[in-house]
Amino acid sequence: MKRIIPLVLLLIFLKPDDIRAQKPSKVRPNVILVMADDLGWGDVGFNGNPQIKTPELDKMAANSLQFTRFYAGAPVCSPTRGSCLTGRNPERYGIFFANVGHIKPQETTLAEVLKANGYATGHFGKWHLGTLSKTVRDGHRGGKANDEFSPPWENGFETCFSTEQAVPTWDPMKDQMVKTHYWTGPDRFAEDNLEGDDSRIIMDRALPFIGQSVQKKKPFLAVIWFHTPHSPVVAGPNYRAMYPGLDDNHQHYYGCITAMDEQIGRLRRELRKLGVANNTLILFASDNGPAGEGGGIDQHPGKRQQGTAGIFRGRKGSLYEGGIRVPALLEWPGRIKTHRKVSVPVTTSDYFPTILSLLDYSVPGNPRPMDGINVLPLLFTDTAQRPKPIGFKSYKQRAYTDNQFKIYSADDGIHYELYDLLNDPSELQDISEAHPMVLASMKTALDDWLSSCQKSEKGEDY
Amino acid sequence: MKRIIPLVLLLIFLKPDDIRAQKPSKVRPNVILVMADDLGWGDVGFNGNPQIKTPELDKMAANSLQFTRFYAGAPVCSPTRGSCLTGRNPERYGIFFANVGHIKPQETTLAEVLKANGYATGHFGKWHLGTLSKTVRDGHRGGKANDEFSPPWENGFETCFSTEQAVPTWDPMKDQMVKTHYWTGPDRFAEDNLEGDDSRIIMDRALPFIGQSVQKKKPFLAVIWFHTPHSPVVAGPNYRAMYPGLDDNHQHYYGCITAMDEQIGRLRRELRKLGVANNTLILFASDNGPAGEGGGIDQHPGKRQQGTAGIFRGRKGSLYEGGIRVPALLEWPGRIKTHRKVSVPVTTSDYFPTILSLLDYSVPGNPRPMDGINVLPLLFTDTAQRPKPIGFKSYKQRAYTDNQFKIYSADDGIHYELYDLLNDPSELQDISEAHPMVLASMKTALDDWLSSCQKSEKGEDY
């Protein structure tokens, strides 16, 4: 604890919340949050993709809880990522879209709580929750005179290898649209081992962090946020060659996913080699649905954006299921002995309260609205019902879903559609006229929830 | 062999082909052909269905070759089933649609060849390849003065528990649209153990046959053709209860699939209990895509027809992928040690030549056109290419597919569309104008193939 206490003390002064070490938890599993970038629900073998090769994820799935109704907190990148770390909805902490806003210092992150309790903490890959340099022009917003500076090392991560934003998924430092570095700390960025597959480059940094934590007998939190398969989509020649007969666009999209898959296999093997697999939980998910042509929120595939949301309607950017329902797994060999499909709705905001419950930690500081819930009690019975609906907002879209129904508005809540997701998972049939009472009560609940978010966003929680 | 030889001798007189015992094969695995009825590509967990519970098929898939491009021989029931047993396309043996035609005595079936070589042979479930009684009104066509009599026991099956056509998937003898019996031989039908789940009723007959074959140390061929989830779609209360919150239609459709899944688990456990699992190959597939509302070839889901073809276009009755690309597995624990996805095109006509090659048997009698091929050499390398395209015809539709491309006509070959199935598996983009040469050469090949089929159908092979 010698090295930890001063950091904790420092945090008390920096942070309004009282983030101190709590009573030692009985279990202290290692936690690895893995996130793909723009990977569609149907882009993995374990969700039935007939072509994309993801043998390592499929093996992991066979050993995991496999979520069939897992929601990214938002239909685009930055907002979702914040929800993973804070347990709160992006509407609450004010990151409304990609490349805007930042994690405010008053927010409490999973990394801060775990670090204060003796965990080694590391972030590897895409950050997207604020700028990483006040001086160097970097990413969309870095180095500019604005208030968006909020790097991972000011949000609880001790070890960092982090970009502000997307980079090419092969040779990530070359042919960038906007110059972006891999930052390792204040005013420091990586300068070697930056060639080839970006997922491998990220894992090359994550594995030594994990190895050192194990050596020091410290539990660890590793947040591994791949850039794959976000634009610029580039696969190396070996990965493209795995898809003979496919055109360039498909080879690049499918190939970079297979390259990422390979690194997930490498990670899982390393945990076994280190003897810590049983006590490590890995949460795998995507940050939103598959991107449309060009890499953004266009609702049609095209060029190198060849992802699929399977049977679900919509893509990245949409609050229909295809934009937010993503592939997701929870592997924890010491606790989860057999594969199970979990159909209860779960979302990225649940990470924070679930992991804290598991560790028997409470959220430090003054009570503040939390959108996620501890989902552990829901994961092991078929009849589980989520006690709290999940709300979404993105530009003019709003959506709200409970165990069965979902309301959706494309025009800031003027008109609503109602879907029965159990009987109509593809959202083909708007049943709002047949069920006006269901619609009305969900609208009221959504309005209440949005009001609460707006209060938080105005700073009332701090 | 005491009981076998007279049957073989008898066959020589009955059949024009010279179906005799051949030199003993080095390997004599047991063969189980399992077929679901109208199960869509996306109706199983292993192909990514987010809701339908098929844990037993998923377990089987994890231990199998899992085909991602497996084609039913036709987009409807009877024609496909004939192709499983003869290795020939339905256009060749003259079963052009469901409930028409029959397996002609001149055709050589897999059951006949295996029986002549010492296999015990049994058929359990839906037959659909001819009538089973000349005297009793049964099914659509039984008991009428027509030439469609062609029961399983005249096509190589010694043990039978077979219906001419569809029955309800729960309490199969009740509430039938058309009276249909489970025939066990000439003028004999089953009268007990016919209540409850139809898949269980079928397995209750298949397992004793398998057990007795093992006891007699005879290899066996068991053809288990479930009626599930074909209309009338009915699930028992226990299976419906597995889908709380779903409406009646979904509960029945999903529930009867889960009931069938349970029987597949029972079958696999029984093989292990009997100690023959390693030496038994199980081929699982569906006979066509998911039915449309009402159970037929309507191209929209509705009522109790709630199946999905996943990302594929079309349903039962269509020669777009959704009508013919079906879930399929090959499990053979003694030979296939690890799960593999097989992306090379394979079809039900391949069963017959593949199994014969495996046994080192040649097709008996005079050489005749065979549409299927031995696919064994294609199953274990990623770069395998199918040497022979696959042709389809159904009413006015025609289609022809090689490893990459597919042509499709809805109007008897007047107009054609061309799809690149590797780059556009959902058949969204007709590229015939951009690739006139590909289209022209595939049209010619399809025309040649159809001419050959027509000659066969006129009897030129016999």
Side-chain angles (χ1 to χ4, degrees):
Chain A
M1 291 296 285
K2 210 172 164 189
R3 210 175 127 234
I4 300 308
I5 292 162
L7 280 166
V8 174
L9 289 173
L10 192 69
L11 270 169
I12 292 169
F13 291 103
L14 280 175
K15 290 272 174 177
D17 292 321
D18 185 14
I19 306 177
R20 296 169 193 261
Q22 300 180 35
K23 66 180 193 299
S25 166
K26 278 157 282 181
V27 289
R28 297 223 297 182
N30 307 304
V31 177
I32 304 181
L33 305 185
V34 180
M35 194 159 257
D37 198 355
D38 291 357
L39 186 74
W41 196 88
D43 284 342
V44 289
F46 68 79
N47 276 348
N49 191 290
Q51 293 183 296
I52 303 178
K53 297 177 206 293
T54 57
E56 297 295 345
L57 278 165
D58 298 351
K59 260 184 252 169
M60 179 176 165
N63 202 37
S64 293
L65 298 185
Q66 179 180 342
F67 297 90
T68 58
R69 204 167 151 208
F70 185 94
Y71 291 105
V76 290
C77 178
S78 305
T80 292
R81 288 164 197 270
S83 71
C84 298
L85 298 184
T86 64
R88 286 154 55 95
N89 189 278
E91 290 299 305
R92 219 177 268 292
Y93 51 76
I95 298 187
F96 304 122
F97 208 71
N99 298 308
V100 296
H102 64 284
I103 290 274
K104 295 172 192 159
Q106 299 94 328
E107 290 290 331
T108 304
T109 73
L110 179 62
E112 288 163 354
V113 178
L114 295 197
K115 185 170 114 174
N117 284 285
Y119 273 66
T121 55
H123 177 269
F124 307 91
K126 188 178 191 176
W127 175 243
H128 229 214
L129 292 171
T131 64
L132 291 89
S133 173
K134 290 184 172 175
T135 53
V136 177
R137 286 190 64 127
D138 178 89
H140 280 304
R141 303 177 288 156
K144 292 180 194 162
N146 62 28
D147 300 330
E148 308 291 22
F149 185 72
S150 186
W153 54 86
E154 298 215 349
N155 286 283
F157 292 98
E158 301 161 311
T159 302
C160 300
F161 180 73
S162 315
T163 64
E164 188 206 307
Q165 60 153 55
V167 293
T169 57
W170 179 266
D171 281 347
M173 295 296 112
K174 294 180 190 162
D175 301 321
Q176 296 179 332
M177 300 289 280
V178 181
K179 186 65 204 164
T180 303
H181 297 91
Y182 266 113
W183 294 88
T184 56
D187 299 318
R188 294 196 312 270
F189 53 80
E191 295 187 82
D192 66 327
N193 187 14
L194 297 167
E195 294 192 337
D197 179 59
D198 182 65
S199 298
R200 192 216 78 236
I201 290 167
I202 291 171
M203 199 56 75
D204 279 353
R205 267 59 173 213
L207 293 189
F209 161 78
I210 291 172
Q212 286 155 23
S213 305
V214 172
Q215 208 171 21
K216 292 180 198 157
K217 298 197 190 330
K218 283 186 79 167
F220 61 84
L221 166 71
V223 172
I224 303 173
W225 284 350
F226 292 113
H227 295 99
T228 301
H230 190 289
S231 132
V233 177
V234 195
N238 288 353
Y239 300 100
R240 294 183 55 189
M242 291 180 184
Y243 296 96
L246 272 70
D247 61 33
D248 273 11
N249 287 334
H250 281 83
Q251 286 188 345
H252 280 294
Y253 189 79
Y254 292 6
C256 78
I257 292 173
T258 300
M260 176 178 71
D261 179 76
E262 197 174 289
Q263 294 306 316
I264 289 164
R266 185 179 162 210
L267 168 66
R268 293 177 67 244
R269 283 190 298 276
E270 183 70 12
L271 295 173
R272 279 152 187 76
K273 215 175 106 190
L274 292 168
V276 297
N278 270 356
N279 195 36
T280 300
L281 66 93
I282 311 181
L283 284 147
F284 172 80
S286 178
D287 63 341
N288 47 246
E293 179 167 338
I297 61 171
D298 183 280
Q299 291 296 299
H300 300 89
K303 294 192 179 150
R304 292 202 183 169
Q305 281 67 47
Q306 293 295 341
T308 172
I311 62 166
F312 299 112
R313 178 175 178 179
R315 307 175 70 82
K316 176 180 179 178
S318 170
L319 288 183
Y320 288 119
E321 294 291 284
I324 47 179
R325 196 190 292 214
V326 292
L329 302 172
L330 164 55
E331 184 178 35
W332 189 5
R335 290 285 190 97
I336 298 160
K337 297 296 184 187
T338 51
H339 170 260
R340 259 193 105 244
K341 288 204 180 177
V342 175
S343 59
V344 72
V346 173
T347 180
T348 45
S349 300
D350 299 332
Y351 283 175
F352 183 80
T354 300
I355 293 165
L356 261 60
S357 294
L358 192 66
L359 293 169
D360 215 8
Y361 294 161
S362 55
V363 182
N366 60 317
R368 55 176 62 170
M370 185 67 68
D371 297 293
I373 59 169
N374 169 23
V375 293
L376 279 180
L378 309 179
L379 302 182
F380 298 95
T381 53
D382 272 341
T383 52
Q385 296 279 299
R386 185 184 179 90
K388 187 179 177 183
I390 305 171
F392 302 88
K393 188 171 183 306
S394 186
Y395 279 132
K396 295 191 167 189
Q397 294 174 98
R398 299 168 180 199
Y400 199 68
T401 187
D402 61 17
N403 292 284
Q404 175 147 16
F405 295 102
K406 175 178 167 185
I407 58 172
Y408 172 91
S409 171
D411 56 8
D412 270 335
I414 300 169
H415 302 94
Y416 274 98
E417 298 157 13
L418 172 67
Y419 297 98
D420 177 344
L421 290 182
L422 295 186
N423 293 300
D424 176 24
S426 303
E427 295 168 295
L428 300 173
Q429 202 183 345
D430 173 8
I431 54 169
S432 54
E433 287 189 17
H435 298 277
M437 299 299 286
V438 174
L439 175 60
S441 82
M442 290 184 81
K443 266 170 64 176
T444 305
L446 169 54
D447 287 343
D448 289 350
W449 172 75
L450 278 175
S451 304
S452 160
C453 287
Q454 281 154 6
K455 283 183 199 160
S456 296
E457 203 274 323
K458 282 183 195 148
E460 291 193 14
D461 301 340
Y462 306 137
Chain B
M1 292 294 285
K2 211 172 164 190
R3 211 176 125 233
I4 301 308
I5 292 163
L7 280 166
V8 174
L9 289 173
L10 191 68
L11 270 168
I12 293 168
F13 292 103
L14 281 175
K15 290 271 174 178
D17 292 321
D18 185 15
I19 306 176
R20 295 168 194 262
Q22 300 180 35
K23 66 180 193 300
S25 165
K26 276 157 282 180
V27 289
R28 297 222 297 181
N30 308 304
V31 177
I32 304 181
L33 305 185
V34 180
M35 194 159 257
D37 198 354
D38 291 356
L39 186 75
W41 197 88
D43 284 341
V44 289
F46 68 79
N47 276 349
N49 191 290
Q51 292 182 296
I52 304 178
K53 297 177 206 292
T54 57
E56 297 295 344
L57 278 165
D58 298 351
K59 261 184 250 170
M60 178 176 165
N63 202 38
S64 293
L65 298 185
Q66 179 180 342
F67 297 90
T68 57
R69 204 167 150 208
F70 185 94
Y71 291 105
V76 290
C77 178
S78 305
T80 292
R81 288 163 197 270
S83 71
C84 298
L85 298 184
T86 64
R88 285 154 55 94
N89 189 278
E91 290 299 305
R92 218 177 268 292
Y93 51 76
I95 298 187
F96 304 122
F97 209 71
N99 298 309
V100 297
H102 65 284
I103 290 275
K104 295 171 191 158
Q106 299 94 328
E107 290 291 331
T108 303
T109 73
L110 179 62
E112 288 163 353
V113 177
L114 295 197
K115 184 170 113 174
N117 284 285
Y119 273 65
T121 56
H123 177 270
F124 307 91
K126 188 177 191 176
W127 175 244
H128 229 213
L129 292 171
T131 64
L132 290 89
S133 173
K134 289 184 174 177
T135 53
V136 177
R137 285 190 66 127
D138 178 89
H140 280 303
R141 302 177 289 157
K144 293 180 193 162
N146 62 28
D147 300 330
E148 309 291 23
F149 186 72
S150 186
W153 53 86
E154 297 214 349
N155 286 283
F157 292 98
E158 302 161 310
T159 302
C160 300
F161 180 73
S162 315
T163 64
E164 188 206 307
Q165 60 153 53
V167 292
T169 57
W170 179 266
D171 281 347
M173 295 296 112
K174 294 180 190 161
D175 301 321
Q176 295 179 333
M177 301 288 280
V178 182
K179 187 65 204 163
T180 303
H181 297 90
Y182 266 113
W183 295 88
T184 56
D187 299 318
R188 293 196 312 270
F189 54 79
E191 294 187 83
D192 66 327
N193 187 14
L194 297 167
E195 295 191 337
D197 179 58
D198 182 65
S199 298
R200 191 216 79 234
I201 290 167
I202 292 171
M203 199 57 75
D204 280 352
R205 266 59 174 213
L207 293 189
F209 161 78
I210 290 172
Q212 286 155 23
S213 305
V214 172
Q215 207 171 22
K216 291 180 198 158
K217 298 196 189 333
K218 284 186 77 167
F220 61 85
L221 166 71
V223 172
I224 302 173
W225 284 350
F226 292 113
H227 295 100
T228 300
H230 189 289
S231 134
V233 177
V234 195
N238 288 353
Y239 300 100
R240 295 182 55 189
M242 291 179 183
Y243 296 96
L246 272 70
D247 61 33
D248 273 11
N249 288 333
H250 281 83
Q251 285 188 345
H252 281 294
Y253 189 79
Y254 292 6
C256 79
I257 292 173
T258 301
M260 176 178 71
D261 179 76
E262 196 174 289
Q263 294 306 316
I264 288 164
R266 185 179 162 209
L267 168 66
R268 293 177 67 243
R269 283 190 297 277
E270 183 70 12
L271 295 173
R272 279 151 186 76
K273 215 175 107 190
L274 292 169
V276 297
N278 270 356
N279 195 37
T280 300
L281 67 92
I282 311 181
L283 284 147
F284 172 80
S286 178
D287 63 341
N288 46 248
E293 179 167 337
I297 61 171
D298 183 281
Q299 291 296 298
H300 300 89
K303 294 192 180 150
R304 292 203 182 168
Q305 282 66 48
Q306 293 295 342
T308 172
I311 62 166
F312 299 112
R313 178 175 177 179
R315 306 175 71 82
K316 176 180 178 178
S318 170
L319 288 183
Y320 288 119
E321 294 292 283
I324 47 180
R325 196 190 291 215
V326 292
L329 302 172
L330 164 54
E331 183 177 35
W332 189 4
R335 290 285 190 96
I336 298 160
K337 297 296 184 188
T338 51
H339 170 258
R340 259 194 104 244
K341 288 204 180 177
V342 175
S343 59
V344 72
V346 174
T347 179
T348 45
S349 300
D350 299 333
Y351 283 175
F352 183 81
T354 300
I355 293 165
L356 261 61
S357 294
L358 192 66
L359 293 168
D360 215 7
Y361 294 161
S362 55
V363 182
N366 60 316
R368 54 175 64 170
M370 185 68 68
D371 298 292
I373 60 169
N374 169 23
V375 293
L376 279 180
L378 309 179
L379 303 182
F380 298 95
T381 52
D382 272 342
T383 52
Q385 296 280 299
R386 185 184 179 91
K388 187 179 177 182
I390 305 171
F392 302 88
K393 188 171 184 304
S394 186
Y395 280 132
K396 295 191 167 190
Q397 294 174 99
R398 300 168 179 198
Y400 199 68
T401 187
D402 61 17
N403 292 284
Q404 175 147 16
F405 296 101
K406 175 178 167 185
I407 58 171
Y408 171 91
S409 170
D411 56 7
D412 270 335
I414 299 169
H415 302 94
Y416 274 98
E417 298 157 14
L418 173 67
Y419 297 98
D420 177 344
L421 290 182
L422 296 186
N423 292 299
D424 176 25
S426 303
E427 295 169 295
L428 300 173
Q429 202 183 346
D430 173 9
I431 54 169
S432 54
E433 286 190 17
H435 298 277
M437 299 299 286
V438 174
L439 175 60
S441 82
M442 289 185 82
K443 266 170 64 175
T444 305
L446 169 54
D447 287 343
D448 289 350
W449 173 74
L450 278 175
S451 304
S452 160
C453 287
Q454 281 154 6
K455 283 183 199 160
S456 296
E457 203 273 323
K458 283 182 195 148
E460 290 192 16
D461 301 340
Y462 305 137

